[in-house]
Amino acid sequence: MGPDGRVVALAGALRARGVRVGSGEVVTAVRALGVVDAGSRDDVRLALRAVLCGRPGDLPAFDAAFAEVFGAAVPDARIAPVDLGGGSTLALPRVAVPDAPPAPRTAGLEPVVVPAAFSDVELLHDKDFADYTDAERAAARTVLRELARRGPTRLGRRTRPSHGRGRPDPAATLRAALRTGGEPLRLPRRRRTPAPRALVLVLDVSGSMAPYARMLLQYAQAAAAARSRVEVFAFGTRLTRLTLELRSSRDPDRALERAAEAVDDWAGGTRIGASLGTLNREHGRRLGRGAVVVLLSDGWDRGEPELLAAEMARLRRSAHRVVWLNPLKATPGYAPLAAGMAAALPHADHFIPGHSLGSVAELAALLSGGLHTTPGGA
Amino acid sequence: MDGADGVAGALAGQGYLADRALATAVHLARTLRLPLLLEGEAGVGKTEVARALAAATGAELVRLQCHEGIDVHHALYDWDHARQLLAVRAEQDVDLWSERFLLERPLLRALRASDDGPVVLLVDEVDRADDAFEAFLLELLSDHAVSIPELGTVRAAQPPTVILTSNRTRELHDALKRRCLYHWIDYPTPERELEVVRVRAPEVADEVAQRVCAAVARLRGEELYKLPGVGETIAWARALGALGPDATPDDALGAVLKVREDLDRVRALGVLDGA
């Protein structure tokens, strides 16, 4: 096999491992081989890696694919292989990184809600997710998808022409002045336009929460597909990032399936504090400043309440708003007495039920306009 | 400079110690005229690569700092509307869309400066721009030319070496990534970091530099909110050097840990005991 054939084989091996390699990159890779020492295995490896990888998560897949196509390393007396061992596990996030934004949704694929189903949905409004039948879950899905289109916004940096308000627009002022003999009689203005605010959904998928998490995951999948800047995480005993899985497929069922596969502790115990710690440390950048963080959990934490309180405090300091959804809140006479919930609640801006379509609608209303009024805790 | 070895040598001449993988990536970017996308944790020296490369090759460094809402008028060109307005009122037959009213922004500068010599274009923190700007950038990086409606097409005489950096606050579009070579800059090994400290802070005693690098390696093994970057290592070494021989690493911990919880944790766990 010549060098070109090997590059093609390598591209195939990478694709088999889930790395996206386009034909343009294969051509570039062949060019790259022309300008490095083709006799040095390591030079070839590093050159191909620079061309064919696009994210830190690709690097382990590349090493495996390279070994498969080019054979295992023979000790090279000239160059020590670059060590990607210990240090990289610190620097690289332990989960994959997000994919490209989803392709634009084609209109017309949305199932249309027929009136009969709609009235069914009205009946479902207050029904607890845990009591749903399969048919009801399916009916609720359309509603969740609609609700997921609404989300938090903030004023962006981009501007549009406006009447009366906003800052003067020099370019438009000049154009207007040219029409009036160079006299700036009119002062057009521009104002800032709304931009999507980052939304982070963190779902507790442990035992008792599973029926709610499944429904919220549908909401999350629809939100990730419809909006930019949405991140989704799940936790039981540890935190798993699901954004990639939820975005990787245009088919919502397949996306949910992949997300479910990625979480390995469905129905296990709960360590909320430790999971939020992982979120704060390893994904702090992704939260950015100014994200709205939505947590779904009943607050039954097997970890230490002090840890949960500290991580919640940290989260609230870096986020714009923290919203806590607790399905138990819908229970008459509920009081947040569980140690975890009691520790976390002072650090939440909003506390709402999250057990039914009605409460998800409440969440959607809150996200798309109600966040400015902060009641301060429960 | 010839080959990856040449690149590594030239960068080292500017005080930047590149490992083999980075040197190879820079070599390819220069030879194949492809943009190089650098990612890595904060403080691993992404921006520094462009500075060192420009200095080593005698190229002009043109830096575009990306920010939210950045658009063509921040990045490429704008018109000096105030002066245009004055000119319209003061002169007859003035050509408003001519060079004298043109404000050159970094990207236009990079394309034009290549007439006079090599250029390194640094597009810093490209993840802070939005999709629309990324698409525009993609076009420019593909053609090394842009068209300005009022002026026509501006083309680079020789394509600049383009380095993009991203802090991964947002995933970049696949189309942009496909256009670029990619390199992930990792935290250096303690041995390499020691070399970096020796080069960048030569005034610090070697014994202090060694202790600092070993201590930083310990810190990076902890669950901290903000792991120290190479810049912090150098600052720590300098701080301890300035404090004199009796100082312990803990005395200047503020040079390396900037989050209160991290300071508390490191002290409570005794991470630096005996360091």
Side-chain angles (χ1 to χ4, degrees), chain A:
Chain A
M1 190 161 37
D4 295 9
R6 282 193 164 188
V7 169
V8 172
L10 180 63
L14 281 168
R15 289 188 193 115
R17 286 172 172 82
V19 178
R20 295 188 175 199
V21 180
S23 51
E25 283 145 299
V26 173
V27 173
T28 308
V30 173
R31 285 176 63 206
L33 288 187
V35 299
V36 297
D37 176 5
S40 159
R41 183 180 188 280
D42 211 48
D43 278 15
V44 167
R45 183 176 68 85
L46 294 173
L48 291 176
R49 195 175 77 176
V51 174
L52 296 174
C53 290
R55 47 176 64 92
D58 293 347
L59 301 178
F62 178 86
D63 289 342
F66 187 83
E68 182 185 307
V69 176
F70 287 79
V74 281
D76 188 331
R78 272 195 303 152
I79 309 140
V82 174
D83 180 22
L84 275 176
S88 64
T89 54
L90 296 173
L92 302 181
R94 271 149 227 172
V95 285
V97 286
D99 216 317
R105 291 158 60 92
T106 33
L109 291 180
E110 288 292 279
V112 179
V113 187
V114 294
F118 197 79
S119 50
D120 288 349
V121 162
E122 294 228 314
L123 290 176
L124 288 181
H125 190 266
D126 293 319
K127 184 163 181 175
D128 194 295
F129 286 146
D131 303 330
Y132 268 30
T133 63
D134 284 350
E136 285 169 332
R137 260 191 283 278
R141 185 165 186 163
T142 319
V143 183
L144 286 174
R145 205 175 301 167
E146 279 310 310
L147 290 172
R149 288 173 188 277
R150 297 161 63 184
T153 56
R154 59 191 173 80
L155 273 187
R157 288 269 144 217
R158 292 196 183 276
T159 58
R160 60 154 186 248
S162 89
H163 292 288
R165 283 195 286 166
R167 293 166 62 171
D169 179 351
T173 304
L174 175 73
R175 282 195 301 273
L178 290 179
R179 288 196 289 275
T180 50
E183 289 299 328
L185 300 179
R186 224 165 55 77
L187 280 181
R189 291 167 182 274
R190 295 181 76 84
R191 62 199 280 200
R192 289 160 68 184
T193 52
R197 187 185 276 288
L199 174 63
V200 180
L201 297 158
V202 189
L203 310 180
D204 180 345
V205 296
S206 62
S208 58
M209 287 300 299
Y212 308 102
R214 274 177 223 281
M215 294 307 281
L216 261 292
L217 196 56
Q218 297 213 351
Y219 171 82
Q221 190 271 327
R227 296 175 55 82
S228 61
R229 308 205 63 197
V230 175
E231 288 285 339
V232 187
F233 298 88
F235 69 91
T237 48
R238 61 186 191 83
L239 190 78
T240 311
R241 180 156 179 258
L242 295 182
T243 315
L244 183 68
E245 281 77 12
L246 290 179
R247 282 205 167 142
S248 61
S249 173
R250 287 219 207 148
D251 172 11
D253 290 311
R254 180 76 196 111
L256 286 170
E257 227 171 85
R258 291 180 70 156
E261 283 162 15
V263 181
D264 59 7
D265 54 359
W266 281 94
T270 323
R271 285 174 60 229
I272 313 177
S275 299
L276 291 184
T278 310
L279 184 72
N280 281 331
R281 281 190 306 276
E282 291 176 26
H283 304 282
R285 279 240 195 87
R286 226 166 243 139
L287 303 184
R289 313 205 144 258
V292 174
V293 182
V294 176
L295 300 159
L296 171 78
S297 174
D298 55 13
W300 286 102
D301 185 14
R302 290 205 311 205
E304 301 154 32
E306 295 76 27
L307 177 65
L308 176 55
E311 296 295 352
M312 276 297 286
R314 172 86 197 163
L315 186 62
R316 194 189 193 187
R317 278 202 299 278
S318 54
H320 173 66
R321 291 284 188 273
V322 178
V323 181
W324 191 298
L325 269 63
N326 185 341
L328 299 179
K329 191 174 184 241
T331 316
Y334 168 78
L337 296 179
M341 199 65 242
L345 209 48
H347 305 290
D349 295 294
H350 297 270
F351 185 47
I352 55 178
H355 70 298
S356 66
L357 280 183
S359 54
V360 179
E362 193 182 334
L363 171 68
L366 190 65
L367 293 180
S368 60
L371 286 168
H372 304 295
T373 53
T374 307

Side-chain angles (χ1 to χ4, degrees), chain B residues 6-22:
Chain B
V7 169
L11 292 179
Q14 299 300 322
Y16 192 97
L17 303 179
D19 64 14
R20 180 95 194 156
L22 176 58

Side-chain angles (χ1 to χ4, degrees), chain B residues 59-62 109-111 113-115 117-121 158-162:
Chain B
E60 177 176 345
L61 177 68
V62 179
R109 173 75 204 148
L111 293 181
S114 69
D115 292 348
V119 171
V120 172
L121 170 62
Q158 42 169 324
T161 304
V162 183

Side-chain angles (χ1 to χ4, degrees), chain A residues 100-101, chain B residues 37 39 126-127 134 166 170-174 176-177:
Chain B
L37 170 62
E39 287 192 331
V126 65
D127 52 324
E134 240 176 66
S166 162
R170 179 177 71 84
E171 196 71 6
L172 302 179
H173 201 281
D174 261 2
L176 183 64
K177 287 193 159 183

Side-chain angles (χ1 to χ4, degrees), chain B residues 206-255:
Chain B
D206 206 52
E207 187 263 340
V208 173
Q210 289 186 23
R211 276 171 71 195
V212 164
C213 290
V216 165
R218 281 199 209 180
L219 292 178
R220 292 199 188 124
E222 287 300 310
E223 292 195 336
L224 301 177
Y225 289 116
K226 178 73 192 70
L227 295 178
V230 181
E232 271 94 13
T233 309
I234 295 167
W236 204 11
R238 284 195 177 134
L240 288 180
L243 288 176
D246 297 333
T248 64
D250 192 84
D251 291 338
L253 202 51

